[in-house]
Amino acid sequence: MAIEIKNLTKRFGDFTALSGLNLNIADGELVALLGPSGSGKTTLLRIIGGLEQAEEGEVIVDGANAGTVDIRDRRVGFVFQHYALFRHMTVFDNIAFGLRVRPRNERPGKDEISKRVHDLLKLVQLERLAPRYPGQLSGGQRQRVALARALAIEPKVLLLDEPFGALDAQVRRDLRRWLRRLHDEIKLTSVFVTHDQEEALEVADRVVVMNHGKIEQVGTPVDVYHRPATPFVYAFLGDTNVFHGRLEDGSPVLVGGEPPSEKQETARMYVRPHLMDIEHDRASVESVPAKVMHINAAGPTVKVELETPLGEAIMVELTQDRFLELKLERGTEVFATPRQQQLFKKDDYVI
Ligand code: ATP
């Protein structure tokens, strides 16, 4: 089912939590709402689910206004960070719950419920755990039960709020891949909230990057990562070095060392640490003199922290081979050179 969000504004007292949002989510799409804490992700999700009303604008789910449809007819599946399973019920009963509480004329028969619960247990790969209680499951297993429970009512839309937020890093990664595969199988229109950029980029068909109640950019993971529309999107999606400079005849002039004064500054250059190189001699006019302050070589790449003579930090990520070649040590005087940068003109950001 498609979701259409038009000119949505939500206020809590004087505070505007969402401001004039427009967004279309296609049938069967998996969309991530990504943004820092307080950017309005959960508020938007709750409005889509009909749990919250907006002051202005509308949310159309499957052709009907989300706020006006009777809650029983909404068919929205929710999964929250804290699984909120019923502790005194088995896994089987937890999943069957949504079907058993339906009005008598809509309630499936006992055998039908049993078949549906078993099918769902198979889908979430927990067939053997049907008789267990939530207290006897791991966090990841509980979250999969929560998802099966949300799917039991055959929702038109699945809404997930930080579904893996309470789990440790490894389980999170496993569940992410699992959710992606599950979605490919069931193709249910799904919206999930996360503040974890890696999670959004890995799982979603499209990512909605939010900041201060507004949408900064909507695009595929490749779009938002490689073609960020704003400095905020660039900085939010990964580690970033920011260089200050000016434009001359439309070309950036970034003189290493002295940053221009605020008045002179007309552009900023954003560079990810892995798109920086280190050299012993000045390689170009953009090379910045710096001193090696810290080296972390434990991992697939080597993270080198540099400091410019003005005390600004520069992060560089080198391959292990390049690091060995350079023979860097703490205190070595070097030059840091951007290999690939994203330029934002002054109009694109607020100083
Ligand atoms: P997080 O990742 O921390 O959950 P979020 O992006 O989901 O953040 P929201 O929970 O949507 O953010 O909140 C957006 C803003 O609206 C916040 O500043 C929050 O304090 C405010 N807010 C949310 N709910 C209410 C409420 N019921 N009353 C007043 N302010 C609220």
Side-chain angles (χ1 to χ4, degrees):
M1 305 294 159
I3 303 172
E4 229 179 302
I5 295 162
K6 291 188 206 162
N7 258 324
L8 197 74
T9 292
K10 169 74 192 168
R11 294 186 197 95
F12 294 109
D14 306 341
F15 178 75
T16 305
L18 298 174
S19 170
L21 300 196
N22 288 291
L23 175 68
N24 286 329
I25 298 173
D27 183 28
E29 216 180 1
L30 174 55
V31 164
L33 304 180
L34 174 70
S37 184
S39 55
K41 309 176 297 285
T42 297
T43 304
L44 177 56
L45 195 80
R46 289 173 58 83
I47 294 174
I48 296 173
L51 301 178
E52 196 95 59
Q53 302 289 319
E55 275 70 37
E56 288 165 36
E58 49 185 3
V59 176
I60 312 285
V61 180
D62 189 25
N65 198 312
T68 57
V69 178
D70 191 289
I71 197 140
R72 277 169 309 183
D73 299 328
R74 264 180 216 155
R75 302 289 278 271
V76 175
F78 278 104
V79 180
F80 298 104
Q81 175 169 353
H82 296 287
Y83 358 87
L85 296 177
F86 301 116
R87 281 169 47 213
H88 59 284
M89 284 187 199
T90 62
V91 165
F92 184 98
D93 292 337
N94 262 286
I95 299 173
F97 181 79
L99 298 171
R100 288 178 177 155
V101 296
R102 278 200 184 159
R104 189 168 296 232
N105 56 347
E106 290 172 29
R107 196 182 311 156
K110 211 168 160 226
D111 292 346
E112 167 77 29
I113 291 182
S114 176
K115 181 176 178 314
R116 212 182 282 176
V117 172
H118 280 293
D119 287 348
L120 283 163
L121 280 167
K122 204 165 153 191
L123 189 71
V124 299
Q125 300 161 335
L126 291 175
E127 287 152 289
R128 288 180 303 116
L129 303 186
R132 289 222 195 145
Y133 286 87
Q136 300 168 312
L137 303 177
S138 72
Q141 289 168 338
R142 268 183 241 168
Q143 208 50 329
R144 283 191 274 158
V145 174
L147 195 57
R149 192 176 61 173
L151 293 173
I153 58 157
E154 298 185 315
K156 295 174 181 171
V157 172
L158 184 63
L159 303 178
L160 308 107
D161 194 352
E162 298 271 2
F164 312 137
L167 305 169
D168 70 47
Q170 183 59 46
V171 178
R172 249 185 117 111
R173 271 195 290 276
D174 290 348
L175 277 189
R176 245 185 237 170
R177 274 180 227 122
W178 173 84
L179 177 66
R180 181 64 245 179
R181 283 200 303 272
L182 180 79
H183 185 266
D184 289 341
E185 216 169 297
I186 60 176
K187 297 239 178 320
L188 176 65
T189 310
S190 306
V191 184
F192 83 99
V193 162
T194 181
H195 62 266
D196 179 337
Q197 59 275 28
E198 222 180 281
E199 188 161 288
L201 296 178
E202 192 171 319
V203 175
D205 294 319
R206 278 194 309 153
V207 179
V208 178
V209 185
M210 296 182 63
N211 184 26
H212 290 310
K214 293 202 169 117
I215 293 177
E216 292 262 336
Q217 187 173 6
V218 183
T220 63
V222 169
D223 273 343
V224 293
Y225 187 82
H226 289 291
R227 289 177 285 281
T230 64
F232 174 84
V233 175
Y234 191 102
F236 195 71
L237 289 182
D239 292 333
T240 308
N241 293 299
V242 182
F243 296 94
H244 306 264
R246 56 181 196 273
L247 288 177
E248 276 179 16
D249 301 330
S251 306
V253 177
L254 296 137
V255 188
E258 284 299 307
S261 69
E262 223 171 75
K263 233 169 129 196
Q264 290 169 318
E265 179 181 311
T266 52
R268 281 184 190 178
M269 187 164 83
Y270 283 58
V271 192
R272 299 224 182 275
H274 72 278
L275 299 175
M276 298 280 309
D277 198 8
I278 292 179
E279 269 126 345
H280 288 291
D281 302 306
R282 184 182 277 273
S284 76
V285 305
E286 287 168 6
S287 300
V288 180
K291 192 185 206 172
V292 176
M293 303 303 285
H294 183 74
I295 298 170
N296 174 8
T301 57
V302 181
K303 297 186 174 80
V304 184
E305 196 183 317
L306 306 173
E307 195 179 279
T308 69
L310 293 162
E312 291 180 338
I314 301 177
M315 300 300 300
V316 183
E317 219 175 303
L318 300 172
T319 63
Q320 295 279 353
D321 286 350
R322 179 70 182 142
F323 172 67
L324 291 175
E325 198 182 328
L326 283 167
K327 298 192 174 53
L328 297 180
E329 280 174 23
R330 219 174 141 175
T332 312
E333 302 275 356
V334 293
F335 288 89
T337 308
R339 287 192 287 113
Q340 199 182 309
Q341 61 261 42
Q342 173 92 28
L343 190 78
F344 291 105
K345 294 190 195 140
K346 197 167 183 172
D347 298 344
D348 298 332
Y349 59 85
V350 181
I351 289 183

